[in-house]
Amino acid sequence: MKIYNTFTKTKEDFQPINPPNVTMYMCGPTVYNYFHIGNARSFVMADIVRRYLEFKGFNVKFIMNITDVDDNIIKKANEEKKSTTDVASFYTEAFFEDVKRLKIKTASVYPKATLHISEMIEVIKELEKKGFAYNVNGNVFYDVSKFSSYGKLSGKNTEDLESGARVDVNEEKKNPLDFALWKKVKESEPSWDSPWGKGRPGWHIECSAMSIKHLGKSIDIHAGGNDLIFPHHENEIAQSEACFEQKFVKYWLHFGFLNIQNEKMSKSLGNFFTAREVLDKYSAEAIRLFFAQTNYGGPLNFSDELLNSAQKGYEKILNLAEKIEREINLNTRSEIIPDFDVKKYYSDFEKVMDDDFNSPQAAAVIFDFIRAANKIIAENNNIDSIFYQGLKQFLKNTAENVLGIIHFGDLANALNPNIDNEQIEMLIKKRDIAKKEKNFALADQIRTELSNLGVILQDSKTGTTFKKIILK
Ligand SMILES: [Zn+2]
């Protein structure tokens, strides 16, 4: 299996530190608003990566942090005249709702920054002891000049960075690139006791402290949006490696930007969409398919046209899945078991996903499979239901469990028979008459039509009864 490592800028063989375990850390949301569709792309693609590793038999521990103390949260709380705790817990709830609606698998742990303050203080103390941090009147900064390989992830060198740095007017810092590890309390801000006085942690230290706590000093995969490479991930490396003196991350994985109609998404341009706005218009499966159809690392253009086309793609999968469920419920036994090389599709799927999670190609394999299956179904009558079991297994293992673009468990609603009992009884009578008149073609047609609506007929000596399928 190959994975593109931002750190080396090459595709590398994937060899986790402690197989079959894989540790994966994804930078999570700062909870001061609803997350937008660009964030949703990163979250869904990280989910697909994680699910594929599980498909390969790895035991993945997946951590996503919640930043619940931050400048933006404080600002929002002041604007809305609420407490920071209220703002953070409101948007944390909203985050979980949206993640669930996007059918993203729950992380092993969602650590909250405010519950890891003592761990952060320990890391800062260690950095200070080793000479990488300095305290100026209760503000503690990381001394970038002490970490000789600073810039190794982003490929930036400190001299260029210093000359181009957007210098905060902060005369306490020795160097414009130095960043805050601990911020001295300001009036009406949340704060915690520390060896440097009351204050709160900087953003970057959260991820270093929480990944160490939940995944250990060295982790296999650290993921996040492209925009986090610098300075966030660069600073995480500087903190963790200075503190623990070992390699922090084996593979760095970064997700590309999402543009709206070829423009950068921004509130001022009026082209800013939250994930929940998009989820009100399109199904989660269609949105996931739309994301999966572009390589995770490249830019992605978002438009209603493209979403509509993904929705149509999803309906193709759904149509076949519904057909499969009906046929499995009918449980037909017959000699007709068409030759269908499902193994070939498994191996194609695995081959492309093994190549740095090539999800666009993986989706293409699934659509090839659907075309081939539909052709066989159209060309054969009375196929044994074992054939449909094989189709279902493939779609469950790939389209459902890895890409999350179909959910068989949800089909019950989609398939609830949309026909009332009176109409069914009427059709049964019509079919009885047809059978008496030896018009078996019509009788079969009625049976098939009902079956397509989720109504199964059962003939016996005393007459015909029916059942509505509740699919699960
Ligand atoms: Zn982070």
Side-chain angles (χ1 to χ4, degrees), residues 14 24 148 164 179 191 209 228 246 322 326-327 362 383 408 442:
F14 182 64
M24 180 167 176
S148 59
F179 55 90
S191 65
L228 297 184
Q246 64 185 67
E322 288 177 348
R326 281 195 295 272
E327 292 291 338
I383 301 176
F408 278 88
L442 178 62

Side-chain angles (χ1 to χ4, degrees), residues 235-248:
N235 291 352
E236 283 186 37
I237 294 176
Q239 294 165 155
S240 295
E241 296 192 356
C243 186
F244 297 103
E245 298 171 23
Q246 64 185 67
K247 198 178 170 76
F248 174 40

Side-chain angles (χ1 to χ4, degrees), residues 330 421 424-425 427-429 431-432 435 447 450 454-468:
L330 282 171
N421 292 357
I424 299 170
E425 297 287 3
L427 284 166
I428 290 176
K429 274 183 197 143
R431 178 167 168 266
D432 284 343
K435 284 208 290 193
R447 185 189 189 102
L450 281 169
V455 178
I456 307 304
L457 301 184
Q458 286 162 322
D459 294 320
S460 73
K461 279 176 192 160
T462 53
T464 305
T465 57
F466 68 90
K467 64 171 182 188
K468 290 181 175 180

Side-chain angles (χ1 to χ4, degrees), residues 5 12 24 137 183-184 232 304 336 370 372 462 467:
N5 188 352
E12 295 175 24
M24 180 167 176
N137 303 321
K183 298 176 175 183
K184 186 181 177 173
H232 184 52
D304 275 314
I336 302 165
I370 291 169
T462 53
K467 64 171 182 188

Side-chain angles (χ1 to χ4, degrees), residues 247-461:
K247 198 178 170 76
F248 174 40
V249 170
K250 197 160 181 198
Y251 306 97
W252 283 95
L253 194 73
H254 288 101
F255 307 107
F257 289 113
L258 180 140
N259 295 317
I260 309 270
Q261 317 269 31
N262 295 311
E263 282 190 271
K264 197 171 186 293
M265 178 165 44
S266 86
K267 284 209 166 110
S268 57
L269 287 173
N271 64 354
F272 183 93
F273 299 112
T274 62
R276 53 177 59 198
E277 284 167 335
V278 181
L279 277 160
D280 287 339
K281 282 171 80 180
Y282 302 97
S283 66
E285 288 82 359
I287 296 169
R288 295 181 65 107
L289 176 61
F290 167 67
F291 291 148
Q293 282 177 317
T294 296
N295 277 308
Y296 71 82
L300 170 61
N301 192 34
F302 175 99
S303 70
D304 275 314
E305 205 184 335
L306 293 167
L307 248 302
N308 281 326
S309 127
Q311 185 74 38
K312 284 194 186 107
Y314 165 56
E315 279 159 21
K316 272 184 204 158
I317 311 172
L318 189 61
N319 285 340
L320 177 60
E322 288 177 348
K323 170 80 176 159
I324 289 169
E325 285 294 32
R326 281 195 295 272
E327 292 291 338
I328 288 174
N329 276 279
L330 282 171
N331 200 22
T332 305
R333 287 283 161 259
S334 96
E335 282 167 6
I336 302 165
I337 304 171
D339 251 349
F340 189 45
D341 192 359
V342 177
K343 275 202 187 120
K344 170 195 173 300
Y345 293 96
Y346 274 113
S347 97
D348 288 352
F349 180 84
E350 207 168 340
K351 198 170 131 202
V352 296
M353 284 299 280
D354 273 355
D355 183 16
D356 190 30
F357 313 101
N358 191 336
S359 58
Q361 286 298 319
V365 169
I366 286 165
F367 284 110
D368 283 347
F369 172 89
I370 291 169
R371 254 188 306 278
N374 283 336
K375 187 163 180 282
I376 290 174
I377 293 167
E379 286 167 356
N380 291 276
N381 283 321
N382 203 33
I383 301 176
D384 191 283
S385 87
I386 196 161
F387 169 77
Y388 291 99
Q389 298 279 9
L391 300 185
K392 179 174 176 178
Q393 212 47 55
F394 175 80
L395 288 176
K396 266 196 88 79
N397 287 334
T398 58
E400 176 162 338
N401 292 348
V402 178
L403 300 181
I405 55 175
I406 184 75
H407 293 89
F408 278 88
D410 293 347
L411 291 185
N413 291 333
L415 290 182
N416 264 346
N418 196 8
I419 179 168
D420 63 40
N421 292 357
E422 226 169 283
Q423 285 172 290
I424 299 170
E425 297 287 3
M426 212 183 70
L427 284 166
I428 290 176
K429 274 183 197 143
K430 199 173 156 191
R431 178 167 168 266
D432 284 343
I433 296 167
K435 284 208 290 193
K436 275 180 195 140
E437 291 172 350
K438 303 222 185 295
N439 186 350
F440 296 114
L442 178 62
D444 283 349
Q445 191 195 326
I446 292 168
R447 185 189 189 102
T448 308
E449 275 168 14
L450 281 169
S451 141
N452 286 340
L453 291 166
V455 178
I456 307 304
L457 301 184
Q458 286 162 322
D459 294 320
S460 73
K461 279 176 192 160

Side-chain angles (χ1 to χ4, degrees), residues 25-28 65 203-204 206-208 222-223 228 232-233 236:
Y25 188 94
M26 168 84 182
C27 293
N65 66 296
W203 172 39
H204 313 298
E206 291 179 15
C207 289
S208 282
H222 191 123
L228 297 184
H232 184 52
H233 290 161
E236 283 186 37

Side-chain angles (χ1 to χ4, degrees), residues 7-18:
F7 190 81
T8 57
K9 296 184 179 59
T10 51
K11 270 189 208 174
E12 295 175 24
D13 278 327
F14 182 64
Q15 280 161 342
I17 299 161
N18 184 25

Side-chain angles (χ1 to χ4, degrees), residues 203-221:
W203 172 39
H204 313 298
I205 196 70
E206 291 179 15
C207 289
S208 282
M210 292 193 279
S211 66
I212 287 152
K213 161 108 190 250
H214 295 280
L215 298 174
K217 292 174 184 171
S218 286
I219 60 180
D220 292 309
I221 300 175

